[in-house]
Amino acid sequence: GWGLTPADYDELMLKDLLAKAQVTANWTALFAAAESGQPEAMLLVGAAYGEGVGIARDHALSVLWLRRAAELGLPRAMNAYGRKLIDGEGVARDVALGLVWVRRAADAGNAHAIGNLAFFAHTGMAGVPANPVEARALFERASAKRNRPARLSLAGMLVRGLGGPSDVQRGLAIARELSEEGDRSAMGWLAQVYQNGRWLRPDPGLSRRYALRAAEAGDPRWMIGFAEMAAEGFGAPQDKVLAGRWLRSPRAKGGPGG
């Protein structure tokens, strides 16, 4: 319901789920549905409280609604509730119980949960032993469900040859596909990869092009990053006027880190 498809629960981040469901416009009906026991509505209400969309941010209420939806068996809610427990956001931190919920969601096939387990295996976080081979296999599973964060993480592992043989061209192809879908994280990642030349030959022109795309997509880090490129003449003739325009952007802050 709420204009969402089953695939949306695998592919979309919580903010994007809220936007597609038009939570702000539908808040009264959505909250009533949650109170009546609809797990999808409970998930959206919990996410709205967590993100501060359509209602004042309240992490404790976010946890309350996510837990209710999780206990009713909604995999995306199981994952979201598990992450709250692992992060200690709005609830006492309980990594072991959080992992139980994330694993339940992964066993039910939720791509975000599979991606979380992959991230934990990749980084050694949440008490999960670091295992790049397992991480890569899990990122593959989540990517097959079109999960965006998992696809970009898989691209990075392929380019760097982590958890298996290096496959630079496949990794770049995945990142380019994400970029074409409007994923500004992928745009920034490509800008950085083509800039530093650590795993492939540097290409200043391509790096600058992806930096500009990330900046135009609203990534504050790459607003700064592109301004620096323009000021230094990286990938194209120096243009300090253009650099100044981006530096004065009200959203520009931080620095490039794609």
Side-chain angles (χ1 to χ4, degrees):
W2 309 104
L4 301 173
T5 69
D8 289 335
Y9 292 95
D10 281 323
E11 296 176 19
L12 299 181
M13 303 297 288
L14 287 177
K15 280 188 177 180
D16 297 323
L17 274 180
L18 296 173
K20 185 169 183 182
Q22 300 182 49
V23 165
T24 301
N26 295 323
W27 178 255
T28 301
L30 182 69
F31 193 80
E35 287 193 312
S36 74
Q38 292 184 24
E40 291 83 4
M42 292 177 180
L43 167 68
L44 293 171
V45 167
Y49 274 118
E51 300 288 342
V53 173
I55 193 73
R57 181 170 286 170
D58 188 320
H59 291 301
L61 283 175
S62 175
V63 169
L64 172 69
W65 285 106
L66 293 174
R67 177 176 58 79
R68 289 179 179 177
E71 289 173 344
L72 288 174
L74 188 65
R76 184 65 189 276
M78 295 178 191
N79 174 67
Y81 176 52
R83 282 307 306 257
K84 292 283 191 183
L85 288 164
I86 290 168
D87 297 336
E89 187 175 71
V91 66
R93 190 167 187 255
D94 190 332
V95 174
L97 182 58
L99 279 173
V100 168
W101 280 105
V102 172
R103 286 185 173 127
R104 284 181 187 173
D107 289 343
N110 180 255
H112 287 277
I114 297 167
N116 276 327
L117 294 179
F119 177 73
F120 298 150
H122 184 38
T123 61
M125 291 179 62
V128 175
N131 185 332
V133 174
E134 181 180 0
R136 182 158 157 174
L138 288 167
F139 280 134
E140 288 276 14
R141 282 181 59 198
S143 295
K145 291 175 171 282
R146 308 298 294 170
N147 181 262
R148 284 190 174 186
R151 289 159 66 196
L152 188 55
S153 295
L154 176 62
M157 296 195 83
L158 289 166
V159 168
R160 297 168 66 187
L162 297 176
S166 173
D167 191 338
V168 173
Q169 293 309 311
R170 183 179 172 221
L172 291 175
I174 291 171
R176 286 194 294 264
E177 181 182 40
L178 284 164
S179 174
E180 291 303 314
E181 293 171 7
D183 190 313
R184 69 187 195 186
S185 294
M187 297 170 193
W189 184 84
L190 286 162
Q192 195 168 54
V193 166
Y194 282 116
Q195 180 182 39
N196 62 31
R198 189 170 174 184
W199 298 289
L200 66 160
R201 181 178 298 176
D203 189 324
L206 266 181
S207 176
R208 178 168 169 146
R209 196 177 313 160
Y210 280 113
L212 176 59
R213 291 190 62 188
E216 290 176 336
D219 189 328
R221 298 167 300 173
W222 285 101
M223 292 177 184
I224 298 289
F226 178 74
E228 291 173 349
M229 290 179 176
E232 295 168 5
F234 180 82
Q238 186 180 61
D239 190 334
K240 292 187 176 182
V241 173
L242 179 61
R245 191 183 310 148
W246 279 105
L247 287 172
R248 287 190 299 272
S249 170
R251 297 185 63 186
K253 60 183 177 179

